[in-house]
Amino acid sequence: MAPTLSPDGKTLYVCLRFQNEVAVIDISSKRIQRRIPVTREPVAEVLSKDGKTLFVANHLPSGPANVNRISSVVDVIDTAKCKVVKSIPLSNGAVALRRICLSPDGKIVYVTSTFAKFMLATTAVERGWMNSSGLSLIDAEKRELLYSICLDDESLGAANPWGVVCSPDGKWICVAHAGTHEVSIIDQAALLAKLSKFPALGQSGLADADYEALPDNPTDDLNFLQGIRRRIKLKGIGPRELTAANGKLYAANYFSGTVDVVDLESGKVLEPIRLGPDQPMTLERKGEMLFNDASQMCFQQWQSCATCHPDGRMDGLNWDLLNDGMGNPKSTRSLLFAAETAPLMAKGVRHDAERAVRSGIKYIQFMQPTDEKTQAILAYIKSMKPVPSPFLVNGQLSSRAQKGKQVFEKAECASCHNGLYFTDSARYNVGTSDSPDKGAEFVTTKLNELWRTAPYLHDGRSATLEDVLGKDNPRDQHGVTSKLTPEERANLVEYLKSL
Ligand code: HEC
Ligand code: HEC
């Protein structure tokens, strides 16, 4: 993703999202010269004006989920050294990063994300109680987080911020709201003037909580952008990518296959550009649109299913859903093969996928779950296809993974993790159930696409598969892992990452 050319035109940087790397490609030889490891799922990048620094937006956070502070990071690559020299954590709960851009004067890096309030029980959506929409500002020279601002309005969310660009004259910062089919056009000079009254986050020395306690702080103030931004409804559906030129903003709409054109000065939405004939409307397609749509699928547009389940997977966070009581947060689950395996949820509280979808619409989105919407979303979930593991070699298990498969048998993993989706659908206490779910039994988890679904276990306590097999299985209640040699363990992990 995000091919970015160096100012001298000699080097191309490309984000390898699922390899967790940035490739450095020499243009003349067309060869990958280096692969720079980054934090997790790099999806966008931008170069400083002098080409010396590459800012990489990582989609998901890394680390365990049962903690009080968690966010995705922007990695800073020194292009001369070809390595990450700093990782900038965004504000607490800033996850699902999508796009990044540089102000034309080269001073500020803007990055879009969701701001998740994962520490609150999910009793409401109003005022961004669960999720709000965020824009983070980074000082390009000091490489520090400056500010986080909220892109919603007090009683109207602007869910799933995606593309972000500055107009070439630096007058406007534009953000696409993929969940509400809008763009925000923000007056950059007015924004920076308003922000300058607050201490910069990276230099304030204040912890997140202390910063949030500041009166009218921009991170939490849902009225912060009033008077300095225009929210404009587009004609198309699902705007993601943006570009601005010659006084116009162009927004590529993922679902309607159109490009909307907005006049930046007047805010007028002009005739859209059609990219081809309309795609046939199947039930799956309708379901995917609803899954991503906050305008039809959530009270006051605060979030869509995709806000917590980006790309149908997970946000890497724990949420205290009310499906199994309060005070016992669970890690968000990927929806791949969710309809093929029942019961659903960590504790199996939902009998089948249809009931899970219906309850999601009702209790998380605070909407009436009509049959039409439920069936469409269900059809979308059923249509999801796994992405082949980047750990496969030519589509096959590597030789290490093959050895790991034997360890999987030997350690008796397959007595519970069996069949096409590696689950017997039964409930067990495998020694992972302590407070607040003391003594609880959990459904054997599916193991497909494990390479991209960290953190693991019902409460996201394991940042890695090594943790699942080691630190989080101290008494061999979850497969017999204590007697494995380090090599066997490494091979087993290689196998698990290949599924
Ligand atoms: C606030 C975040 C959030 C939102 C929004 C959300 N989910 Fe979830 N979802 C979760 C969490 C957390 C779990 C795991 C809960 C558990 O294990 O008890 C989950 C689990 C599920 C599962 C069960 C997967 C499995 O294999 O067990 C399904 C299906 C699901 N969600 C569908 C949806 C749909 C459809 C929507 C939109 C109507 C939605 N979710 C919106 C957080 C969310
Ligand atoms: C007695 C049945 C049983 C056996 C044997 C077993 N598991 Fe599990 N496994 C479970 C259950 C139940 C969970 C869910 C536990 C939780 O969420 O706290 C789970 C969860 C997992 C997870 C986390 C998946 C995720 O997405 O969070 C992994 C990885 C895993 N098991 C791998 C293994 C391996 C490898 C072995 C063999 C060494 C093994 N399991 C043996 C029942 C079993």
Side-chain angles (χ1 to χ4, degrees):
M1 301 179 80
T4 304
L5 200 59
S6 63
D8 63 9
K10 289 184 179 161
T11 311
L12 184 72
Y13 302 93
V14 179
C15 291
L16 307 180
R17 176 173 179 181
F18 293 135
Q19 273 82 2
N20 301 325
E21 289 170 333
V22 169
V24 183
I25 299 168
D26 175 54
I27 290 288
S28 58
S29 67
K30 298 184 183 140
R31 287 246 159 78
I32 297 186
Q33 282 182 318
R34 297 282 277 270
R35 290 164 171 267
I36 306 172
V38 294
T39 303
R40 186 177 183 191
E41 292 201 16
V43 290
E45 57 190 357
V46 69
L47 265 175
S48 63
K49 277 193 139 176
D50 58 12
K52 288 182 181 161
T53 314
L54 186 66
F55 295 90
V56 182
N58 291 281
H59 182 57
L60 289 179
S62 62
N66 61 343
V67 293
N68 294 327
R69 199 197 187 288
I70 185 164
S71 78
S72 297
V73 301
V74 171
D75 283 324
V76 180
I77 290 175
D78 180 322
T79 53
K81 294 186 185 141
C82 260
K83 66 173 192 188
V84 174
V85 290
K86 186 174 183 183
S87 292
I88 306 171
L90 301 186
S91 289
N92 198 13
V95 297
L97 271 52
R98 286 295 183 185
R99 294 294 178 263
I100 193 165
C101 76
L102 186 71
S103 60
D105 62 8
K107 286 186 178 157
I108 298 174
V109 173
Y110 293 98
V111 56
T112 50
S113 74
T114 291
F115 286 166
K117 314 283 166 48
F118 61 91
M119 57 307 263
L120 304 175
T122 56
T123 50
V125 280
E126 289 93 329
R127 304 187 53 86
W129 183 265
M130 276 188 239
N131 283 301
S132 60
S133 310
L135 185 66
S136 303
L137 283 68
I138 290 169
D139 185 321
E141 197 190 324
K142 293 193 181 126
R143 302 165 172 183
E144 273 176 1
L145 180 63
L146 282 172
Y147 301 104
S148 308
I149 59 172
C150 200
L151 296 166
D152 311 283
D153 283 294
E154 196 159 16
S155 55
L156 195 66
N160 306 346
W162 204 294
V164 58
V165 291
C166 287
S167 59
D169 58 9
K171 224 169 148 184
W172 311 110
I173 312 154
C174 310
V175 178
H177 300 286
T180 61
H181 325 303
E182 293 169 295
V183 287
S184 281
I185 301 177
I186 307 167
D187 180 329
Q188 180 171 239
L191 175 70
L192 297 180
K194 197 163 178 188
L195 284 169
S196 66
K197 296 188 202 105
F198 294 88
L201 280 159
Q203 294 132 38
S204 71
L206 296 173
D208 285 317
D210 299 332
Y211 197 88
E212 278 163 29
L214 293 179
D216 301 330
N217 84 75
T219 314
D220 274 358
D221 182 358
L222 295 167
N223 291 320
F224 195 79
L225 290 178
Q226 244 175 39
I228 59 175
R229 97 69 192 255
R230 289 166 290 161
R231 254 179 99 155
I232 294 167
K233 191 88 187 161
L234 299 176
K235 295 184 169 148
I237 304 171
R240 293 190 178 178
E241 309 301 340
L242 295 179
T243 191
N246 302 327
K248 304 237 172 22
L249 176 67
Y250 298 86
N253 296 299
Y254 185 75
F255 289 110
S256 53
T258 54
V259 177
D260 266 309
V261 187
V262 182
D263 184 85
L264 280 167
E265 284 304 325
S266 69
K268 210 170 158 240
V269 184
L270 309 173
E271 251 335 278
I273 303 165
R274 301 216 134 262
L275 297 178
D278 283 346
Q279 296 294 310
M281 186 53 77
T282 59
L283 196 62
E284 294 82 34
R285 198 166 128 77
K286 178 149 189 40
E288 187 180 1
M289 288 167 79
L290 290 171
F291 190 87
N292 283 276
D293 190 343
S295 70
Q296 287 186 62
M297 288 297 295
C298 184
F299 179 69
Q300 291 183 351
Q301 306 194 155
W302 289 99
Q303 60 191 17
S304 70
C305 307
T307 310
C308 296
H309 297 284
D311 307 319
R313 270 70 178 187
M314 20 39 72
D315 54 9
L317 300 174
N318 278 355
W319 288 97
D320 192 5
L321 301 184
L322 307 180
N323 56 9
D324 59 353
M326 217 195 272
N328 50 354
K330 298 286 178 304
S331 174
T332 307
R333 292 163 79 90
S334 165
L335 304 187
L336 178 67
F337 300 138
E340 276 74 23
T341 51
L344 287 85
M345 311 291 167
K347 280 189 179 167
V349 294
R350 297 288 175 228
H351 192 267
D352 57 37
E354 182 174 338
R355 274 177 242 198
V357 171
R358 202 174 278 278
S359 311
I361 301 173
K362 190 164 175 192
Y363 298 113
I364 310 180
Q365 302 295 127
F366 294 87
M367 291 297 276
Q368 205 44 44
T370 61
D371 282 341
E372 194 196 347
K373 285 180 177 166
T374 308
Q375 292 307 330
I377 291 179
L378 190 60
Y380 160 62
I381 293 175
K382 284 185 181 160
S383 75
M384 283 173 58
K385 301 268 182 311
V387 173
S389 165
F391 291 83
L392 294 172
V393 179
N394 300 325
Q396 306 289 323
L397 292 181
S398 68
S399 59
R400 276 180 60 199
Q402 280 172 20
K403 288 185 198 145
K405 190 173 181 201
Q406 288 160 15
V407 182
F408 191 76
E409 306 290 338
K410 178 177 143 189
E412 292 173 18
C413 312
S415 66
C416 301
H417 295 285
N418 51 45
L420 217 46
Y421 310 110
F422 303 94
T423 170
D424 59 2
S425 298
R427 294 178 176 83
Y428 302 95
N429 180 349
V430 290
T432 59
S433 40
D434 35 54
S435 168
D437 274 312
K438 203 161 180 58
E441 294 186 329
F442 300 103
V443 183
T444 306
T445 319
K446 301 173 286 257
L447 302 181
N448 311 78
E449 267 192 5
L450 272 182
W451 57 271
R452 71 183 287 196
T453 58
Y456 307 104
L457 300 178
H458 67 279
D459 58 357
R461 73 180 66 178
S462 309
T464 62
L465 291 166
E466 286 81 357
D467 287 350
V468 175
L469 305 175
K471 133 179 132 44
D472 296 320
N473 185 25
R475 292 178 297 278
D476 277 343
Q477 284 166 283
H478 186 189
V480 185
T481 54
S482 67
K483 296 190 187 71
L484 300 178
T485 65
E487 199 193 336
E488 285 176 319
R489 205 175 279 217
N491 291 340
L492 177 54
V493 168
E494 188 78 8
Y495 172 63
L496 294 172
K497 285 186 179 166
S498 305
L499 299 177

